[in-house]
Amino acid sequence: MAENTARQLETELPDLEAYWMPFTGNRYFKQNPRMISRAQGMYCYTTDGKRLLDAVAGLWCCNAGHCHPRIVEAIKQQAETLDYSMAFQLGHPRVFELANRLVDMAPEGIDYAFFVNSGSEAVDTALKMALAYHRIRGDAARTRLIGREKGYHGVGFGGISVGGLSPNRKMFGAMLPGVDHLPHTHNISENAYSRGLPEWGAHLADELENIVALHDPSTIAAVIVEPIAGSAGVLLPPQGYLQRLRNICNKHGILLIFDEVICGFGRTGDNFGANRFGVTPDLMTIAKGLTSGTVPMGAVLAKKDIYDTFMTGPDTAIEFFHGYTYSGHPLAAAAGCATLDVYLGEGLIDRARGLEGKFEDALHSLKGEPNVIDVRNFGLIGAVELEPIEGQPTARAMQIFRDCYDAGVIIRTTGDTLAFSPPLIIEEAQIEQVVESVRTALQSN
Ligand SMILES: Cc1ncc(COP(=O)(O)O)c(C=O)c1O
């Protein structure tokens, strides 16, 4: 197999066969490769010399923009100083610093951070924490986990079990036992073209009462939802919905987990969705924007009561039999600290909040374009839903994706929904460019 230098790889394609790509049509890609070889700020550059405006922040993760010099420098310095240190029984200073800074950003009462390497690992970790928490408290019958239809919680067995996307589940057997699902909150006939949180649908949270009545509260460990569901096509919580879920969980002693993997770090115009919506969960999963996508890292943030519950037994005992070789990896921790420096030092979270009105107006200007059946948005998350081509679901959105790509803009599709989650550094003119590319694509299809 030919070896390629880094320089060559900026402009030349390597042999494409051996790499089995994730969540990708491998055969189609290998015949029609779109290869990004470098990136800077709002832009990605391809091996064939194209410049692309990134309206998705990588995959909802590069919130500070690509290759931010401060983050790059921190990673370089860390790599030279401490490449790795044993994650169990030994520590290194950066990861403690990062934990302190994250819990400072989280809503009051969230005081601990457990590090992992991805959103999927964060979800499986949070589910295990919930189960173990009840067991330690002598409530061992609380083993059921409640997710939600159309939920996306990554691809671990825990995540697909509580998740609610059938293509992600159907091939993989029986999954975790004892899981039930809330109804999703997406309803275009009631909420089409909502600006911000939709008015209709808070009552859908009350379905949790029915699930509780069916199984009995004494069997339920936790409920997990995304404050705003991203990967299933930007599904917004109706006004009051999250608060109602919180109240029902409180009433029945059920832990509430917010999967904030997409909603964190400015995406909703605040530190986390929990801050913005004024609802504090018991556990929060985070990843993606934590390092602005530079080094894989995730975490579970936990309330003090949960941490304290684990801190029993002899001082030398391991309290939670869980962790990963790369939990709190030095490079990720350094990237995380530098990323927080950028978000806070450069005011990017406030910037996102300041841009949301412009972003909303720009997206909603697509109402009335061919085949658009809904536009929805919150913070710097937006979606344009399209009428599917009969018998060819996803085909229409994929065509718009391709046309936008050819016009120099990266957008994301999920089903027949176009999704937008730009880096928080996006300029107003770039928002216009994204929307006008989509408009042109819609009008020519
Ligand atoms: C809400 C949510 N949870 C979990 C995940 C999984 O994260 P990862 O792909 O890092 O495992 C994602 C990824 O998009 C997500 O959106």
Side-chain angles (χ1 to χ4, degrees), residues 292-313:
S292 195
T294 55
V295 182
M297 181 176 235
V300 180
L301 305 185
K303 274 194 174 159
K304 179 169 172 14
D305 166 51
I306 295 182
Y307 177 82
D308 287 348
T309 298
F310 280 83
M311 298 302 128
T312 55

Side-chain angles (χ1 to χ4, degrees), residues 5 11 195 260 292 308:
T5 63
T11 51
R195 289 171 172 254
E260 296 249 13
S292 195
D308 287 348

